[in-house]
Amino acid sequence: MDPVISIRPLLAVAVAGLAALAVLLLNNREKLRDVVSPLAAIVMFVIVVSMAPTVLAGGTVDLRLFEILPGIDFAFRVDALGMVFATVSSLLWIVAAIYSIGYMRHLNEHAQTRFFACFATSLAAAVGGAFSANLFTLVIFYEVLSLVTYPLVYHHEDEEGWRGSRKYLVYLIGASKSVLLAALALTYHIAGSLDFVAGGLLAGAEASPALLTVVYFCYLFGFAKAAVMPMHAWLPAAMVAPTPVSALLHAVAVVKMGVFCVLRVVFHIFGTGLVGGLGLGIATAYLASFTILMASVYALTRDDLKARLAYSTVSQLSYIVLGAVLLSPVAMVGGIIHIAAHAFSKITLFFCAGSIYCASGKRNISDMGGIGRKLPWTMGAFFVGSLSMIGVPPTAGFVSKWFLALGSVEAGDIAFLIVLLVSSVLNAAYFLPVSYTAFFGTAAQESPATVREIPMMTVPLVATAILSVLMGIFPDYFLALAQGVVR
């Protein structure tokens, strides 16, 4: 099927960029400014899904803007893998935009214009990365996302924010300025191009196995947003940001950009054949398994709810990497659809953490006894999101973990099946006590009137909890896209 040449990939990115500009221009008109992000999110989502029929039919939507160097263009290509990431990001921006307005207004946060402008620019970078046709374009949007999210992490402008944002920049910018640039230069030297190629750009390249191995691990650790240990410490540190930032950017856009880049390298730069032939798949699988288990153990020890969710995210991201590097078609499908399953579920959990904080001022799980009786919608949604992260049917997490489990069997290594089962038990061990404490724990001595649901925050978190269930019941869209990647 011939590529469809269209301006729509650029329009999807431009909508979010123009929204950021509009937010800045409407600085003194708060009500009008706050309407911009939800409207822009809806428009972006419509543009993104308008390209889905072409991609589901096995085609691509292309747009070449200009040439940088011979073999390097600034260009867009919408394919199945990019459509997974873009659909999730644009859809969840709609609910996150509404939630953010309620959060920022309730806490009367400062610098709201800067917040919403950076938020919109972050989504432009995420969707731009999803639709990139080559590594050069992808890395440009990757770096923009790193820089524009820095003010969001440093939003509170206090000592804790400074420490968290400094670690954020050191890991993300430091990694990209060192090993990632080296990987790009070596790839261009070997192949004379940075384009994404079905089967792998470097498949059949005349280069030594040692050099290719070095390039591979430069990518794996250079794309530090994937949070594969030991490149994970930035993510818990970044939880000093306001909850809407943690919810969308650290459950969807930023971290998913990291694992998305790793999947691009595995599928379209090296190719599964070369990854398997060099033994890189099994090595990465053991590294991802270590991350899955150790991050879950760290999560068990955290009383701060956002910190527990942060380490859970480190663990869950490596499910995606593990699915890709097992090199089994079924496991690869599971890893790809876990991008969506994790996004819908984890954004729900972060939304709930923010709702609890806004309603009660509580951050620690040990202080949340009985809060579920005062915030039933919030804690009910938290319970649904928890079940999805554990992998209980009929939630989205069950679908992705089912494919990952089948894929580990198909790959012929039961060790990784054991990792998945043990990690699910650990998920239950650190998620279910939160719901138990909230609904059955002893309530603090407070007036019932002081803690109540905040409608503008409750509606989005209930909506994302429903999405977690709907994807579990109707996974066809994301399954079709994932199967289109591995065909």
Side-chain angles (χ1 to χ4, degrees), residues 68-376:
I68 305 296
L69 290 171
I72 302 179
D73 297 329
F74 192 89
F76 296 107
R77 171 170 291 174
V78 183
D79 62 4
L81 183 59
M83 184 58 71
V84 172
F85 183 28
T87 300
V88 170
S89 297
S90 58
L91 174 59
L92 292 181
W93 186 24
I94 299 172
V95 288
I98 297 169
Y99 179 92
S100 299
I101 295 168
Y103 182 95
M104 302 299 278
R105 284 182 180 177
H106 185 82
L107 295 180
N108 194 28
E109 286 278 4
H110 76 292
Q112 292 190 26
T113 297
R114 182 185 69 191
F115 174 90
F116 286 114
C118 290
F119 209 82
T121 309
S122 300
L123 267 297
V127 173
F131 291 161
S132 294
N134 53 59
L135 272 171
F136 176 82
T137 310
L138 178 60
V139 169
I140 292 295
F141 284 113
Y142 181 94
E143 297 292 2
V144 169
L145 185 60
S146 299
L147 294 173
V148 81
T149 49
Y150 172 78
L152 296 173
V153 176
Y154 185 49
H155 177 81
H156 293 305
E157 300 179 8
D158 54 13
E159 183 60 30
E160 187 181 23
W162 164 244
R163 288 197 303 270
S165 60
R166 180 174 56 188
K167 183 175 287 188
Y168 182 80
L169 277 187
V170 167
Y171 271 80
L172 300 191
I173 300 298
S176 63
K177 289 291 185 270
S178 52
V179 292
L180 184 54
L181 281 178
L184 286 173
L186 288 170
T187 301
Y188 185 69
H189 173 73
I190 295 168
S193 172
L194 295 176
D195 288 346
F196 298 133
V197 176
L201 174 67
L202 297 177
E206 294 182 3
S208 69
L211 177 60
L212 291 172
T213 300
V214 169
V215 173
Y216 176 85
F217 281 103
C218 282
Y219 280 124
L220 184 63
F221 295 120
F223 287 125
K225 291 186 179 74
V228 175
M229 288 184 173
M231 306 300 291
H232 70 288
W234 66 270
L235 201 155
M239 290 302 128
V240 298
T243 301
V245 177
S246 303
L248 188 66
L249 303 184
H250 299 149
V252 184
V254 170
V255 293
K256 292 305 186 302
M257 176 70 97
V259 290
F260 175 80
C261 291
V262 172
L263 296 192
R264 281 295 193 199
V265 169
V266 171
F267 296 150
H268 300 126
I269 296 300
F270 278 76
T272 55
L274 183 58
V275 170
L278 293 172
L280 299 173
I282 192 70
T284 311
Y286 279 113
L287 185 59
S289 297
F290 177 79
T291 303
I292 288 169
L293 296 178
M294 285 305 302
S296 294
V297 172
Y298 276 120
L300 272 170
T301 66
R302 296 305 186 268
D303 188 38
D304 183 287
L305 181 55
K306 282 182 65 178
R308 183 170 294 193
L309 295 177
Y311 279 105
S312 169
T313 297
V314 173
S315 174
Q316 296 286 334
L317 291 174
S318 279
Y319 279 84
I320 300 168
V321 176
L322 178 62
V325 299
L326 283 176
L327 307 180
S328 150
V330 176
M332 290 188 282
V333 167
I336 293 166
I337 61 176
H338 199 64
I339 293 174
H342 175 259
F344 293 146
S345 307
K346 189 54 67 68
I347 200 171
T348 301
L349 298 174
F350 274 117
F351 279 175
C352 292
S355 179
I356 293 166
Y357 177 71
C358 285
S360 67
K362 299 182 186 300
R363 294 183 178 180
N364 293 334
I365 298 163
S366 57
D367 296 330
M368 295 178 185
I371 203 168
R373 297 190 289 275
K374 300 173 184 179
L375 303 174

Side-chain angles (χ1 to χ4, degrees), residues 374-425:
K374 300 173 184 179
L375 303 174
W377 288 100
T378 294
M379 293 314 302
F382 188 95
F383 183 62
V384 172
S386 299
L387 293 180
S388 184
M389 287 290 85
I390 296 166
V392 177
T395 60
F398 170 75
V399 177
S400 57
K401 289 192 176 185
W402 177 256
F403 276 90
L404 286 167
L406 290 179
S408 65
V409 175
E410 184 181 69
D413 200 326
I414 302 303
F416 299 117
L417 176 61
I418 294 172
V419 168
L420 294 170
L421 295 175
V422 171
S423 68
S424 289
V425 172

